Amino acid sequence: MNQQASALVTAADISRLAGVTRATVSNWRRRHPDFPAPAGGTDTSPTYDVDAVRAWLSARGQLPDDTPADELRTALRSHPGNGELALHLLPAVLAAARLGRKEREALPELRDDALLQWVRSAAADGADDIPGIESPSYSADVTGPLRALVRCVVMDGAEAATDVLAERLLEDAGGTGTYLTPRPLADLMARLLTDSAGAFPASVLDPACGTGSLLAAAASAGATELHGQDILVAQAAQAAVRLRLSTPEAVISVRTGDSLRSDAFKGLTTDAVLCNPPYGVRDWGHEDLAYDQRWAYGVPPKGEPELAWVQHSLAHLAPGGRAVLLMPPAVAERTAGRRIRAQLVRDGALRAVVSLPQGAATPLHIGLHLWVLERPDPQAEAPGTVLLVDAAASDRDLDWATIDDTVLSAWRPYLADQDGFTGAPGIAGAVPITDLLNEAVDLTPARHIRTTSRQALRPALLARQTSELYDQLHQAARDLTGLSTEGDWPPADDHTRDWRTATVADLLRGGALSLLRTAPAGRRTRSGEPLPQPEPELGGRSTLTATDVVKNRPASGTEADLPTGAALPLIQGSDVLLTETLSVGRSAVARVVEPGETGCFLGPHLLLFRPDRRRLDPWFLAGFLAAEQNVNAAATGTSIIRVDPRRLRVPLLPLAEQQRYGAAFRHLHELRTAAHRAGRAAEDVTRLLSTGLTGGALLPHRHGSA
């Protein structure tokens, strides 16, 4: 092989390489004189020679085993012009993923010349499917990164390899401000496209597709024709690859360019549009597009770019077609946009506005809105109401199951029978168009739903519901009190205990543990063993989702929550579950499966550890896997943090002592569960009482006493 120049790595790369936080790397730099000196970069953002860093970490015992993804990152950094290389390696990911298992596993062992011959032939066939790549070139000096890439595809899967290439692409593209639409939100937006008969639209367009998360959700729901456009070549290329990996049978067309200024799909009419448009971009082409035919509802003011995206989406719909857009809440009330809002409402193009809780999507500090729009059908009667849903009022902890239920339990009945829809007090209502067409045309759900719900309140029903909730609160409080009596936790001598540990990777190699997850077809576990293949028939089994584990509730998922063409592990008794992703400020959750969960499918974003009961106690394993310091050392990411299970560490203790710790961890789990149940019961009863009192349906307790 050709000799490669040594790579330069940043402090963030070092933290990922060592499995520690950025703060730890900063401490090493300040406190250890022998820490490698910067080899490049700037004073505020230095870079370091990766070989020197590896040697320093290895000497201190801080260098975990490299994962294939780590090797690929290093190989990309060691190659000049790695951004262009990362783009040109995307067709190689597709080509490798399309091979049979044996052919794919043979790729890393090929000689340099044979590997280059394969990629030049195979990747050329798929390059036309990826925007931004006209003729990929592979010189002899790319064999190192190419070999690391195919090894990553074999061991971690094509999606993991794509993720690493995406990191490099966004670094070079200056991808600041580019955010993924979270999967639960993307799924909810896709479900809003389903018609009253349960049918999903065949063709879907996303004019600001990013890396394709909304189109992937549409494909999972049943779309067979996917069109996307993004202004960043790096994003559009990723979207094309991700979609072809997840839905190879679909018709996929992804283009680059500014959709407003240079629509790549001009003249295309689709059944539906999903879009998370860029927010607050004032230079969107207002002057150049003043006479554009898309502005059927009025020329968008310069400060209202989101209303340009709304009309762009409507222009691509067939009559009766539906669009769902994620919008900043200010669009519903800004003075500059009131005329366009009024016309959208008057013509029946705006069908629903849904307010979401803070944290549903970036920016996390703002409660965003969903706008559901329809291209008016000249042959159909215009609707007389707009559905407004205040989902932000129903959930404070970002429980997506609750949010989905709140939104869909309002949207589906409204869609089926607008005239007979009664709504939910304080949550959802069908507001007459005449009530919205005032001077402000304010479409914020809370301003209408919370002020018009008094008529729907039923005093006798509220009183009965309050009594039932009080009973639930009393039982939850008794359970919590009973679990709180055990408070004798002795100290561990004068110093904290110090024990030998092993990584999960070590335990996998030693056979003490196996690791499963729901992953795309052909992907393998970290132990190198292929995941179980899907059963021929799903058989109506439930799916345990990540939210179910976090909320410690029974399996609530269905077959719709499972990716198509995926390996589908079944949950067994004594399995340990750990959430694979978590948001900033949230802790990982681990627990042992409940008896009623055996036989369920394992949902996405969950890690399943199956211990050898002769060597590992399940609750002992769960407690240490979820330890905050353990997860922090094995996690990567910024807004969405992903846990690398191979780097988690477990103490090496005799089984009898493990069982003592396991009993303690189980007690803590039961205590936490009881506290959450009591907290939810208190929230429910106070919310219902507040609604009844302020709405005039309930009287104060002992209101007749002095």
Side-chain angles (χ1 to χ4, degrees):
M1 282 194 234
N2 294 330
Q3 184 70 28
Q4 299 285 338
S6 182
L8 295 178
V9 291
T10 64
D13 296 322
I14 297 172
S15 67
R16 184 164 45 221
L17 184 65
V20 298
T21 64
R22 288 281 300 274
T24 301
V25 176
S26 297
N27 286 336
W28 287 344
R29 291 167 53 191
R30 290 194 302 268
R31 298 180 181 179
H32 297 282
D34 60 338
F35 189 84
T42 64
D43 291 340
T44 57
S45 182
T47 55
Y48 304 85
D49 182 280
V50 68
D51 292 333
V53 169
R54 284 178 175 277
W56 189 86
L57 291 172
S58 179
R60 293 178 53 83
Q62 292 282 349
L63 186 63
D65 293 339
D66 270 353
T67 66
D70 292 332
E71 294 174 0
L72 177 56
R73 289 187 183 95
T74 301
L76 288 173
R77 288 202 175 278
S78 69
H79 193 279
N82 55 73
E84 182 179 359
L85 174 62
L87 184 65
H88 283 197
L89 285 178
L90 284 171
V93 175
L94 280 179
R98 289 167 178 165
L99 293 175
R101 176 181 166 185
K102 290 186 178 180
E103 293 176 289
R104 186 167 58 247
E105 290 178 346
L107 287 177
E109 309 306 322
L110 292 177
R111 292 164 49 94
D112 286 3
D113 55 350
L115 188 61
L116 285 171
Q117 183 179 357
W118 167 80
V119 75
R120 287 167 179 164
S121 173
D125 295 336
D128 293 340
D129 297 334
I130 304 175
I133 304 178
E134 296 181 358
S135 54
S137 58
Y138 303 97
S139 57
D141 64 347
V142 305
T143 53
L146 179 59
R147 195 175 301 279
L149 175 78
V150 294
R151 187 178 293 112
C152 186
V153 172
V154 169
M155 297 301 298
D156 289 349
E159 287 190 349
T162 304
D163 289 344
V164 177
L165 297 179
E167 292 174 10
R168 301 301 301 126
L169 285 169
L170 286 181
E171 284 181 16
D172 281 11
T176 302
T178 60
Y179 305 107
L180 288 173
T181 304
R183 175 63 185 269
L185 177 56
D187 289 342
L188 173 59
M189 293 173 67
R191 291 187 183 108
L192 290 170
L193 295 178
T194 305
D195 64 20
S196 57
F200 195 82
S203 59
V204 179
L205 166 70
D206 184 348
C209 67
T211 58
S213 53
L214 285 173
L215 290 174
S220 296
T224 57
E225 187 179 322
L226 308 171
H227 305 277
Q229 182 172 354
D230 197 84
I231 195 169
L232 292 178
V233 173
Q235 298 243 70
Q238 291 174 63
V241 172
R242 294 181 195 278
L243 292 172
R244 293 195 178 279
L245 288 172
S246 60
T247 56
E249 70 285 352
V251 176
I252 298 169
S253 176
V254 181
R255 312 279 179 82
T256 59
D258 185 332
S259 289
L260 294 182
R261 283 192 170 98
S262 181
D263 187 0
F265 295 101
K266 195 170 185 177
L268 174 70
T269 299
T270 60
D271 300 326
V273 172
L274 287 174
C275 188
N276 179 358
Y279 304 151
V281 180
R282 298 184 67 85
D283 184 21
W284 58 269
H286 171 260
E287 293 81 4
D288 301 333
L289 302 173
Y291 300 101
D292 198 285
Q293 294 181 351
R294 290 171 290 183
W295 314 146
Y297 301 91
V299 179
K302 185 174 183 179
E304 295 285 349
E306 295 84 7
L307 292 178
W309 287 99
V310 164
Q311 297 190 74
H312 174 83
S313 299
L314 286 167
H316 276 288
L317 290 174
R322 189 175 303 143
V324 181
L325 278 72
L326 185 64
M327 306 285 276
V331 183
E333 62 175 347
R334 280 194 298 240
T335 302
R338 66 182 184 275
R339 292 185 179 178
I340 294 178
R341 292 197 301 272
Q343 197 62 42
L344 290 168
V345 170
R346 190 178 294 113
D347 289 1
L350 182 65
R351 300 306 312 278
V353 177
V354 177
S355 60
L356 298 170
Q358 292 181 3
T362 305
L364 300 176
H365 64 287
I366 294 175
L368 300 172
H369 286 181
L370 292 177
W371 282 30
V372 183
L373 304 118
E374 283 187 6
R375 177 78 176 265
D377 187 343
Q379 307 301 319
E381 182 180 355
T385 60
V386 174
L387 175 66
L388 300 182
V389 182
D390 187 11
S394 66
D395 188 84
R396 296 183 179 181
D397 296 327
L398 204 63
D399 181 346
W400 279 107
T402 301
I403 296 171
D404 282 3
D405 181 66
T406 299
V407 176
L408 297 178
S409 63
W411 170 249
R412 287 169 177 165
Y414 175 76
L415 192 63
D417 183 10
Q418 297 176 46
D419 295 333
F421 180 75
T422 57
I427 300 295
V431 180
I433 286 177
T434 53
D435 291 354
L436 297 174
L437 294 177
N438 52 28
E439 184 178 355
V441 197
D442 189 341
L443 305 177
T444 305
R447 298 202 176 108
H448 297 274
I449 297 303
R450 297 180 186 178
T451 57
T452 60
S453 61
R454 291 168 57 93
Q455 299 174 356
L457 295 178
R458 297 165 59 186
L461 176 61
L462 272 178
R464 186 171 68 252
Q465 291 175 336
T466 299
S467 178
E468 293 172 354
L469 286 176
Y470 259 121
D471 290 341
Q472 296 176 20
L473 177 58
H474 290 157
Q475 183 59 52
R478 285 193 293 269
D479 293 342
L480 180 58
T481 301
L483 289 166
S484 302
T485 56
E486 185 176 335
D488 183 18
W489 297 79
D493 300 325
D494 294 332
H495 303 284
T496 58
R497 293 193 63 182
D498 189 17
W499 39 50
R500 292 175 54 240
T501 62
T503 64
V504 166
D506 295 331
L507 297 174
L508 292 172
R509 285 191 293 267
L513 193 64
S514 57
L515 173 62
L516 301 175
R517 69 181 82 183
T518 296
R523 189 165 174 178
R524 303 162 71 88
T525 64
R526 292 290 193 175
S527 63
E529 293 300 320
L531 286 166
Q533 292 303 306
E535 295 183 352
E537 297 291 337
L538 295 181
R541 297 176 186 269
S542 297
T543 299
L544 190 71
T545 68
T547 302
D548 295 333
V549 173
V550 172
K551 299 294 182 182
N552 194 38
R553 66 187 183 195
S556 65
T558 64
E559 297 170 7
D561 295 297
L562 296 169
T564 57
L568 302 176
L570 294 178
I571 295 172
Q572 298 179 9
S574 301
D575 286 344
V576 176
L577 304 169
L578 177 72
T579 50
E580 183 180 19
T581 60
L582 54 146
S583 302
V584 174
R586 299 295 182 95
S587 300
V589 176
R591 65 172 174 84
V592 180
V593 302
E594 304 291 346
E597 295 167 346
T598 57
C600 293
F601 284 114
L602 181 71
H605 312 301
L606 282 175
L607 300 168
L608 187 152
F609 300 85
R610 185 163 293 161
D612 180 348
R613 293 292 303 275
R614 297 167 299 180
R615 301 163 65 181
L616 286 172
D617 178 80
W619 275 107
F620 162 82
L621 182 64
F624 278 99
L625 287 178
E628 186 174 1
Q629 65 272 25
N630 202 7
V631 171
N632 287 343
T636 59
T638 52
S639 59
I640 300 297
I641 300 170
R642 185 178 299 274
V643 179
D644 181 353
R646 283 169 46 97
R647 292 180 173 175
L648 294 170
R649 306 190 76 88
V650 179
L652 299 175
L653 299 178
L655 184 59
E657 193 168 3
Q658 290 183 34
Q659 291 168 346
R660 288 179 55 206
Y661 276 92
F665 285 129
R666 180 164 192 163
H667 174 80
L668 295 180
H669 169 73
E670 293 171 350
L671 180 64
R672 185 184 300 113
T673 301
H676 287 169
R677 189 162 55 246
R680 286 195 299 270
E683 285 286 344
D684 290 342
V685 73
T686 53
R687 181 172 60 85
L688 191 62
L689 282 171
S690 178
T691 300
L693 290 169
T694 57
L698 296 177
L699 297 175
H701 183 54
R702 296 177 180 174
H703 59 279
S705 61

